[in-house]
């Protein structure tokens, strides 16, 4: 597998305020990204905890989530609560960083991919509007998950919630097979919506995502899309996974 990653913050902001988080394990078979919801408390940290819990799992986390996503959420929820309690002991904390009765939890979309060697099977789990695109090179077929059309993207999306007092929506699951030459794209919502719209209009521009190698190339593409108002101004992450010959 070849894994290439890019992430850019909103216009005018720095990487420090980027609320997307992504990672993959050393074996390259567990890959995940998460988009923290800006309306929640410490969304970047919650996204990071979710992704690391998935990618550092000793067993296939998707099989665990199949049985009970609420049980899988127990560990990341405990870690987020520990982080929050530690933050509250910081005497330099601003009042708004302490949260409120209505804003006392983190929220984030989630997308996880599990690749199985050597069976060439893949599984994915998703909640919200971060999407996976799987290109079958032999046929040119494009599998899109979990959103299906560019119109499916809404201003409010489903998220995993860090509070055990709030029941999270169940994630969606998908599985299939891959072969040498196939490629996976994992992306957060702004880029996903553009890819789908371009694909639906029988455009070819979305395929540029498959050829990116350098961060400068990603920045140039994203800047042009934003200038042309083809993509919303949001933290934007792209992970490219190519199955080598």
């Amino acid at each position: 597998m070849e894994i290439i990653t890019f992430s850019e913050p909103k216009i005018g902001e720095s990487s420090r305020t980027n609320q997307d988080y992504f990672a993959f394990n050393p074996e390259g078979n567990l890959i995940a990204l998460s988009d923290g919801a800006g309306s929640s408390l410490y969304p970047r940290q919650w996204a990071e905890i979710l992704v690391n819990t998935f990618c550092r799992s000793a067993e296939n986390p998707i099989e665990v989530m199949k049985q009970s996503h609420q049980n899988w959420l127990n560990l990341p929820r405990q870690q987020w609560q520990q982080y929050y309690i530690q933050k509250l002991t910081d005497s330099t904390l601003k009042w708004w960083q302490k949260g409120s009765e209505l804003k006392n939890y983190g929220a984030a979309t989630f997308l996880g991919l599990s690749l199985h060697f050597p069976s060439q099977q893949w599984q994915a789990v998703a909640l919200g509007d971060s999407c996976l695109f799987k290109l079958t090179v032999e046929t040119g077929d494009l599998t899109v998950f979990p959103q299906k059309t560019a119109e499916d993207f809404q201003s409010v999306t489903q998220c995993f919630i860090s509070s055990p007092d709030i029941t999270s929506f169940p994630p969606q699951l998908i599985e299939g097979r891959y072969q040498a030459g196939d490629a996976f794209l994992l992306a957060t919502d702004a880029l996903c919506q553009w890819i789908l719209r371009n694909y639906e209009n029988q455009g070819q521009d979305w395929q540029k995502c498959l050829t990116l190698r350098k961060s400068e190339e990603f920045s140039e593409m994203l800047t042009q899309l934003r200038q042309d108002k083809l993509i919303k101004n949001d933290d934007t992450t792209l992970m490219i996974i190519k199955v080598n010959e």
Side-chain angles (χ1 to χ4, degrees):
M1 294 290 171
E2 178 185 12
I3 303 176
I4 305 168
T5 61
F6 308 101
S7 192
E8 292 276 342
K10 303 177 185 70
I11 296 172
E13 297 194 12
S14 68
S15 58
R16 185 174 54 85
T17 61
N18 188 340
Q19 293 168 351
D20 291 352
Y21 191 84
F22 63 88
F24 53 91
N25 66 352
E27 295 76 21
N29 68 315
L30 292 177
I31 303 153
L33 65 79
S34 179
D35 180 358
S39 58
S40 67
L41 186 63
Y42 300 118
R44 161 79 179 199
Q45 287 72 26
W46 177 231
E48 180 176 350
I49 289 169
L50 287 171
V51 166
N52 285 338
T53 300
F54 184 91
C55 292
R56 294 173 182 174
S57 177
E59 55 185 328
N60 183 357
I62 294 182
E63 290 300 322
V64 177
M65 296 169 87
K66 271 185 180 182
Q67 298 300 317
S68 172
H69 69 283
Q70 293 288 5
N71 287 344
W72 182 84
L73 282 170
N74 285 338
L75 177 59
R77 280 172 165 170
Q78 291 170 10
Q79 293 177 348
W80 189 90
Q81 191 64 27
Q82 290 169 0
Y83 174 85
Y84 180 43
I85 292 172
Q86 184 179 17
K87 291 292 288 185
L88 290 178
T89 63
D90 184 354
S91 60
T92 65
L93 208 66
K94 304 291 190 299
W95 67 267
W96 51 267
Q97 293 175 307
K98 297 178 181 180
S100 65
E101 186 176 348
L102 296 177
K103 187 177 180 179
N104 60 1
Y105 59 84
T109 70
F110 184 78
L111 176 62
L113 173 65
S114 176
L115 302 170
H116 304 284
F117 316 135
S119 66
Q120 294 188 311
Q121 294 179 315
W122 64 274
Q123 296 172 291
V125 57
L127 184 65
D129 52 15
S130 293
C131 293
L132 175 147
F133 302 86
K134 192 260 184 178
L135 178 64
T136 303
V137 172
E138 187 175 78
T139 61
D141 291 340
L142 186 68
T143 300
V144 185
F145 170 78
Q147 309 292 65
K148 299 302 180 186
T149 73
E151 297 303 317
D152 289 341
F153 292 82
Q154 306 294 328
S155 57
V156 178
T157 189
Q158 295 178 351
C159 291
F160 278 141
I161 305 299
S162 67
S163 172
D165 298 327
I166 301 175
T167 301
S168 286
F169 288 97
Q172 298 184 57
L173 300 161
I174 190 175
E175 58 186 36
R177 297 186 63 84
Y178 65 86
Q179 60 187 2
D182 289 354
F184 296 87
L185 299 176
L186 278 64
T188 46
D189 58 317
L191 187 60
C192 295
Q193 187 176 31
W194 171 74
I195 290 174
L196 268 171
R197 184 175 290 118
N198 187 257
Y199 178 74
E200 290 168 357
N201 292 333
Q202 300 183 335
Q204 303 296 318
D205 290 345
W206 71 270
Q207 296 188 29
K208 294 176 183 176
C209 294
L210 296 165
T211 67
L212 298 171
R213 287 292 181 274
K214 300 178 180 179
S215 58
E216 294 82 1
E217 296 172 341
F218 179 72
S219 294
E220 289 174 5
M221 184 188 79
L222 192 57
T223 297
Q224 191 62 57
L225 289 173
R226 287 170 171 173
Q227 288 177 350
D228 294 342
K229 301 189 183 305
L230 295 174
I231 188 173
K232 66 180 181 179
N233 179 29
D234 195 7
D235 300 329
T236 304
T237 297
L238 172 65
M239 305 181 77
I240 307 166
I241 300 94
K242 292 193 173 185
V243 183
N244 293 326
E245 298 288 347

